[in-house]
Amino acid sequence: MKFVYSLTVAAVAYGAILTASGCGRPSAAESTDYSQTAANGSVDRVRAGRPERKTLALHTSQPGRVEAFEETPLYPKVTGYVEEVFVDIGDSVEKDQKLIQLWIPEMQDEQVQKEALVAQAEAEVQQSEAALQASEAAALTAQAGVSLAEAGIGRTDGDYARWKSEYERIRELADKGSVTPKLADEALNHFRSAEAARAEATANVESAEARFHEARANVSKSQADLVAAQARQRVAEANLNHTKTMLAYAEIKAPFDGIVTRRSIDTGHFVHPASGASTQPLLVIARSDKVRVFVDIPEMEAPLVDKGDTVIVRVQSLRKQEIEAAVTRTSWSLDNANRSLRAEIDIANDEGLLRPGMFATVTILLDERSDSLTLPITAIVRDGQKTSCCCVESGKIERKPIVLGLRSGNEVEVVAGLTGDESIVLSPSDALQQGKPVEVIDDGK
């Protein structure tokens, strides 16, 4: 992609230069040096040379600016008074270092209150747990009472069956006159007593079951009370944690290792959360161990810039010290305002020599071709959209169409059309037409 695009860039860049070069009108000096007519006026004298193989590199140099790799303005999260400021501009700070302490007395009182509410909720939970244990114990007792009452039914059923049978037997004997009626009456009384005892036992079972159901209901209620108490405890703890979280904002800490670049507060200042773009930060922290260099690449060169391209950064304030780096990232899309591509170069800054705000010149290697066949730009003849060069073959001019590639400075790559053995007129003129005899006065073989 870079190769195809570089051909397009080269073609556009050559337009203005090649229109005047090639077989265009030469300057007076060139006419005198390279196209003098021979004594008989029929042979032009030209300077010629062969194409050279070399490495061509296409660079772009653009102004850049140094910025902090990270820069964070620090604002208060809560309203309060500045109790103490521990740093000043230019101070180095470490991550999580305390920079500012705020004083918020009402929030401290609120924390004490909510701690008491948490303790109260914990006591209610303990009370509910004890009530649940008591209701469960009562339920077990009631269940045992049901079992006891059911056992009484078994006993009274036996007595009832015995005295019923005994009464029926005595009554038959009394009807036959074998026993006295008084004995039959006594048996009837025993039977009625057993019948009443059985009814009483049945009632006792029903009463025991009712007490058991009541005990189970009390257990369910105690369980619900415990759940409610635990929920109130969680609410109280959440409220306390929220207060602690907000109170923790009274300590403003460093977000990363860096340097304080701005300070706008003093002890005793009343501060409040940011309410708009005009709110000034309390402090500004800039990371110093690494910087970003921003550079805007013109639209015509933007497609040639890729991540990883070699970069040379020259910082004027550091006596144009050269720093070799690479393109770290690009915005990929162009800015609508200036039609340029934003590129960023990350540079280690352990010694702290690079500082935000410095200007730099950034040179990016856009493309490089090794072992390329090259000609000087003055040897190129342009005719509309066609390019060619003037070769000297058997003392005559031979026009050869060529395809150009990468241009670097005053040299241009010849992609197709030449083998490298040709003798090329280095500064052709309008007089050098196809087949014209010429005399080579300087052949750069």
Side-chain angles (χ1 to χ4, degrees):
M1 182 63 185
K2 277 191 174 184
F3 174 74
V4 174
Y5 186 79
S6 64
L7 293 180
T8 304
V9 174
V12 174
Y14 301 151
I17 298 176
L18 296 181
T19 300
S21 65
C23 291
R25 293 178 176 83
S27 63
E30 289 175 338
S31 297
T32 300
D33 293 339
Y34 307 126
S35 302
Q36 293 180 355
T37 305
N40 55 13
S42 60
V43 178
D44 287 346
R45 303 175 67 195
V46 297
R47 186 169 63 89
R50 296 195 179 188
E52 297 183 14
R53 289 196 173 273
K54 59 177 63 177
T55 297
L56 287 184
L58 177 62
H59 296 84
T60 182
S61 292
Q62 303 296 334
R65 64 188 184 279
V66 180
E67 298 292 346
F69 188 77
E70 292 180 284
E71 185 176 65
T72 302
L74 301 180
Y75 296 91
K77 173 70 174 178
V78 293
T79 301
Y81 294 92
V82 177
E83 184 174 11
E84 190 171 0
V85 182
F86 300 98
V87 293
D88 211 328
I89 60 171
D91 289 347
S92 297
V93 298
E94 297 180 354
K95 179 178 173 58
D96 294 330
Q97 177 181 338
K98 185 164 68 172
L99 309 178
I100 301 171
Q101 178 67 52
L102 302 181
W103 180 51
I104 315 172
E106 63 274 20
M107 195 169 290
Q108 294 173 348
D109 295 340
E110 184 179 347
Q111 179 178 346
V112 173
Q113 178 189 17
K114 292 184 176 180
E115 287 174 346
L117 291 175
V118 169
Q120 180 182 7
E122 291 174 347
E124 290 177 354
V125 169
Q126 293 177 358
Q127 185 178 7
S128 297
E129 290 174 345
L132 176 60
Q133 292 176 357
S135 60
E136 288 176 342
L140 292 175
T141 301
Q143 187 176 16
V146 171
S147 299
L148 181 62
E150 289 174 345
I153 286 182
R155 184 177 64 254
T156 56
D157 283 346
D159 290 343
Y160 174 80
R162 173 194 168 197
W163 286 110
K164 180 180 180 182
S165 175
E166 183 68 14
Y167 167 67
E168 290 175 350
R169 186 180 66 81
I170 296 296
R171 187 180 62 181
E172 288 179 2
L173 292 176
D175 291 342
K176 295 177 181 181
S178 300
V179 294
T180 63
K182 182 178 179 181
L183 188 60
D185 291 339
E186 290 179 354
L188 177 60
N189 291 334
H190 281 296
F191 170 65
R192 289 176 177 174
S193 176
E195 187 179 26
R198 190 180 71 164
E200 180 183 7
T202 301
N204 287 338
V205 169
E206 293 176 352
S207 176
E209 288 178 343
R211 289 193 297 272
F212 174 68
H213 290 312
E214 180 182 4
R216 291 304 305 168
N218 289 335
V219 169
S220 298
K221 179 180 181 300
S222 297
Q223 290 174 338
D225 291 342
L226 176 60
V227 172
Q230 290 172 337
R232 288 192 295 272
Q233 180 183 359
R234 288 194 295 271
V235 170
E237 290 174 344
N239 289 334
L240 175 60
N241 290 335
H242 176 265
T243 301
K244 287 182 177 179
T245 298
M246 298 303 294
L247 195 57
Y249 288 119
E251 292 185 357
I252 299 178
K253 299 179 179 180
F256 44 74
D257 295 351
I259 294 178
V260 180
T261 60
R262 192 188 311 172
R263 167 181 168 169
S264 59
I265 56 160
D266 291 308
T267 303
H269 278 191
F270 179 72
V271 297
H272 53 81
S275 56
S278 61
T279 305
Q280 292 293 322
L282 307 183
L283 298 172
V284 176
I285 308 298
R287 184 172 168 181
S288 59
D289 62 330
K290 184 187 291 188
V291 296
R292 302 176 192 255
V293 178
F294 294 91
V295 59
D296 295 324
I297 310 300
E299 180 178 358
M300 295 302 296
E301 297 174 334
L304 297 176
V305 178
D306 292 322
K307 179 180 177 180
D309 285 349
T310 302
V311 173
I312 299 296
V313 178
R314 297 177 180 87
V315 182
Q316 183 175 3
S317 57
L318 299 181
R319 298 181 181 178
K320 297 183 180 180
Q321 176 181 345
E322 293 188 355
I323 302 172
E324 185 173 348
V327 174
T328 306
R329 64 190 68 84
T330 72
S331 62
W332 187 76
S333 63
L334 273 63
D335 185 271
N336 289 330
N338 57 18
R339 315 305 304 170
S340 63
L341 176 77
R342 168 66 54 83
E344 296 183 11
I345 302 100
D346 295 349
I347 300 177
N349 190 37
D350 296 331
E351 297 181 3
L353 298 178
L354 297 174
R355 303 192 179 189
M358 285 182 171
F359 287 101
T361 299
V362 180
T363 301
I364 302 176
L365 177 61
L366 300 177
D367 202 354
E368 187 175 33
R369 308 283 171 78
S370 60
D371 195 30
S372 296
L373 196 63
T374 66
L375 285 176
I377 194 66
T378 56
I380 307 302
V381 178
R382 186 177 181 85
D383 182 10
Q385 298 298 322
K386 299 179 180 180
T387 55
S388 61
C389 63
C390 296
C391 301
V392 179
E393 294 184 2
S394 301
K396 295 182 180 180
I397 293 296
E398 179 71 22
R399 287 286 188 91
K400 287 195 174 184
I402 57 176
V403 178
L404 302 180
L406 184 67
R407 176 183 174 180
S408 177
N410 293 323
E411 294 180 307
V412 62
E413 177 187 24
V414 179
V415 177
L418 298 179
T419 64
D421 296 327
E422 297 86 352
S423 178
I424 309 297
V425 178
L426 301 180
S427 295
S429 67
D430 287 339
L432 299 181
Q433 300 301 322
Q434 177 72 17
K436 183 174 181 60
V438 294
E439 178 185 354
V440 177
I441 59 174
D442 182 13
D443 191 343
K445 292 182 179 181

